[in-house]
């Protein structure tokens, strides 16, 4: 791999500029979900165990290049101290003198990097300034790695650098799933729209053996074959694109599985009356009917398709999983993937957008081999794009 991990670095007595993602949800000044904070704990602990002092760089919200007290990182201090088990010193306007005046094992948090437009512009002066604050750069923010900003790429070019533990885990899991997977490899791609996942589908069909398409985006594929899916979520302007993707899959030897039946209702609400209806090119739904989930046969076929795989990538739900019973297919398939993972037969890597919520709902999040907390960066990786924050890490 082209990057260093913390194991490769001598950090004794060093100030370690550490880019983290602590963009956690807050309500009334309290952190409501500390997952992102918990995930950087190993990096903070390992830097300190190696004699280094972490100087944390992070963004929070979208302040659009201007200081905004509502998006200050200062209110996160108690949650960070809780998670790290040590004091955290906040600094609004950092300088090397201030940092050098702190104890050699201090954890220092610098104010929101996005309070200046220079961050998102990847301004070389800001990168130089950030580099002056540390001796080593550690990037632990995989979820921000698809952005070339001063604190993600600019500074990486100016200091000896490495991946933090979370970045390392993300990169190792994603490389195991897509760059160098055990075959056969399959993917579940679900969610609302084909249009947001075009690049992803086009890249995947070239690289994988089985592609399961579910959710609203499956409607577009089924309608492209000639079905009339009534009021279902679909993108009528993408029928040609859907056919192109099917042809590309065929040419690449990738088997595509589309739902052969669907859970159909006329209302989009919990517990709505519904029928299971066969889906195919001749299907004709009434004008007010919607396919809101894959049906039971489809869920079974999808679950069984995992049996022959060694590796499974998962992005997006198979239906409108937020509303029961339209979570049924997602839950059935996710449980099957989880059981194979527990049995040591399948490597399962999931991520992006609503995927984490859907797998949590299925109660399987702990059983998957790896669940990425990154949204956009996970998708861009799956699309085969180079992530600037990763590319900037060098050995
Ligand atoms: P995405 O952000 O593209 O992964 O899409 C996730 C969203 O797609 C979730 O909010 C689901 O409720 C929604 N979704 C999935 N399948 C359907 C469907 N058949 N009809 C309507 N919405 C759906």
């Amino acid at each position: 791999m082209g990057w260093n991990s913390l194991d490769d670095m001598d950090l004794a007595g060093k100030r370690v500029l550490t880019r983290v993602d602590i963009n956690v949800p807050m309500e009334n000044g309290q952190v409501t979900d500390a997952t992102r904070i918990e995930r950087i704990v190993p990096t903070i602990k390992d830097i300190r165990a190696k004699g280094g002092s972490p100087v944390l760089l992070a963004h929070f919200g979208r302040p659009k290049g201007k200081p905004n007290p509502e998006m200050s990182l200062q209110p996160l201090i108690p949650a960070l101290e809780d998670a790290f088990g040590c004091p955290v010193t906040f600094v609004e306007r950092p300088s090397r003198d201030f940092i050098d005046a702190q104890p050699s094992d201090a954890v220092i948090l610098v104010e929101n990097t996005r309070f200046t437009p220079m961050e998102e512009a990847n301004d070389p002066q800001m990168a130089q300034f950030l580099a002056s604050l540390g001796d080593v750069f550690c990037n632990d923010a995989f979820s921000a790695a698809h952005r070339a900003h001063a604190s993600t790429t600019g500074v990486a070019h100016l200091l000896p650098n490495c991946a933090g533990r979370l970045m390392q885990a993300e990169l190792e899991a994603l490389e195991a799933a897509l760059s160098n997977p055990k075959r056969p490899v399959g993917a579940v791609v679900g969610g609302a729209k084909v249009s947001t996942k075009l690049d992803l589908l086009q890249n995947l069909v070239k690289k994988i053996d089985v592609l399961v398409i579910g959710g609203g985006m499956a409607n577009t594929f089924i309608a492209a074959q000639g079905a009339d899916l009534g009021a279902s979520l679909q993108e009528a302007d993408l029928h040609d694109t859907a056919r192109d993707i099917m042809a590309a899959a065929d040419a690449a030897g990738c088997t595509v599985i589309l739902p052969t039946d669907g859970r159909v209702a006329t209302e989009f609400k919990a517990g709505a009356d519904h029928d299971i209806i066969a889906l195919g090119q001749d299907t004709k739904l009434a004008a007010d009917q919607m396919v809101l989930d894959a049906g039971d046969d489809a869920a079974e076929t999808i679950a069984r398709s995992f049996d022959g795989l060694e590796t499974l990538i998962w992005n997006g739900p198979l239906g409108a999983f937020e509303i029961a019973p339209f979570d049924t297919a997602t839950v059935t398939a996710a449980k099957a993937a989880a059981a194979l993972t527990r049995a040591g037969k399948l490597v399962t890597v999931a991520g992006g957008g609503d995927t984490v919520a859907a797998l949590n709902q299925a109660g399987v999040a702990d059983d998957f081999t790896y669940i990425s907390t990154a949204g956009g960066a996970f998708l861009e990786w799956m699309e085969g794009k180079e992530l600037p924050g990763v590319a900037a890490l060098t050995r």
Side-chain angles (χ1 to χ4, degrees):
M1 276 168 242
W3 38 270
N4 294 308
S5 79
L6 284 170
D7 298 321
D8 301 310
M9 311 302 282
D10 173 12
L11 301 181
K14 306 253 168 81
R15 302 292 176 180
V16 184
L17 273 187
T18 308
R19 179 59 161 96
V20 291
D21 179 359
I22 46 175
N23 198 10
V24 288
M26 304 263 292
E27 251 169 55
N28 304 323
Q30 301 283 328
V31 175
T32 54
D33 178 353
T35 308
R36 284 185 159 157
I37 293 177
E38 283 152 18
R39 286 204 150 199
I40 60 165
V41 170
T43 297
I44 307 305
K45 292 210 159 139
D46 283 1
I47 291 171
R48 296 180 82 224
K50 287 172 83 71
S53 153
V55 179
L56 306 183
L57 303 176
H59 70 278
F60 192 72
R62 295 177 192 270
K64 305 214 167 96
K66 291 197 196 80
N68 179 339
E70 283 173 23
M71 294 175 199
S72 171
L73 285 169
Q74 191 162 22
L76 293 185
I77 293 282
L80 294 173
E81 291 184 334
D82 256 13
F84 303 160
C86 67
V88 175
T89 303
F90 177 75
V91 53
E92 193 184 341
R93 292 177 183 276
S95 67
R96 184 69 198 221
D97 286 347
F98 174 86
I99 286 170
D100 282 342
Q102 308 307 310
S104 64
D105 63 346
V107 181
I108 300 162
L109 173 67
V110 176
E111 181 58 292
N112 195 338
T113 52
R114 291 191 186 163
F115 278 4
T116 158
M118 295 161 90
E119 160 74 330
E120 292 182 61
N122 194 8
D123 186 296
Q125 270 184 13
M126 173 154 175
Q128 284 287 355
F129 171 70
L130 292 176
S132 76
L133 301 176
D135 308 303
V136 172
F137 176 65
C138 170
N139 192 345
D140 210 27
F142 176 78
S143 53
H146 57 316
R147 307 270 182 249
H149 293 169
S151 71
T152 61
T153 61
V155 65
H157 292 298
L158 303 174
L159 288 176
N161 59 64
C162 67
R165 295 299 184 206
L166 176 57
M167 171 75 92
Q168 180 182 353
E170 294 270 1
L171 294 177
E172 286 172 355
L174 297 186
E175 278 172 15
L178 204 57
S179 310
N180 198 8
K182 272 206 199 166
R183 292 189 174 272
V185 49
V188 171
V189 181
K193 292 182 167 178
V194 179
S195 51
T196 58
K197 300 202 178 157
L198 269 181
D199 291 345
L200 175 79
L201 293 168
Q202 269 152 357
N203 184 46
L204 282 181
V205 295
K206 287 183 277 170
K207 296 192 175 163
I208 66 174
D209 305 295
V210 178
L211 172 65
V212 173
I213 299 178
M217 55 193 293
N219 296 337
T220 302
F221 280 82
I222 296 167
Q225 297 173 345
D228 176 351
L229 296 184
S232 298
L233 177 68
Q234 58 172 308
E235 291 161 290
D237 54 331
L238 290 184
H239 288 177
D240 283 344
T241 307
R243 286 189 287 264
D244 288 348
I245 292 169
M246 295 297 278
D250 200 35
C254 171
T255 306
V256 177
I257 298 179
L258 284 167
T260 47
D261 61 352
R263 218 169 283 275
V264 175
T266 52
E267 282 179 298
F268 193 33
K269 67 166 197 198
D273 277 345
H274 63 276
D275 293 309
I276 292 186
I277 295 181
L279 299 177
Q281 57 186 30
D282 301 325
T283 303
K284 191 163 172 26
L285 298 185
D288 60 351
Q289 283 183 310
M290 295 174 281
V291 183
L292 291 175
D293 191 17
D296 292 340
D297 282 350
E300 202 43 48
T301 306
I302 292 166
R304 260 189 286 113
S305 77
F306 301 160
D307 286 339
L309 301 176
E310 292 282 343
T311 305
L312 180 69
I313 301 162
W314 191 308
N315 171 258
L318 295 176
F321 75 98
E322 299 94 336
I323 304 172
F326 306 108
D327 59 341
T328 308
T330 303
V331 171
T332 302
K335 285 194 165 149
L340 289 167
T341 312
R342 276 198 308 270
K345 294 181 178 156
L346 187 66
V347 171
T348 40
V349 176
D354 281 336
T355 310
V356 183
L359 297 180
N360 274 330
Q361 185 153 327
V364 302
D366 291 340
D367 293 322
F368 270 51
T369 311
Y370 192 78
I371 296 194
S372 171
T373 44
F378 180 88
L379 288 179
E380 290 200 19
W381 178 285
M382 291 296 161
E383 287 164 5
K385 294 184 180 149
E386 180 175 76
L387 306 183
V390 177
L393 295 178
T394 46
R395 249 181 171 335

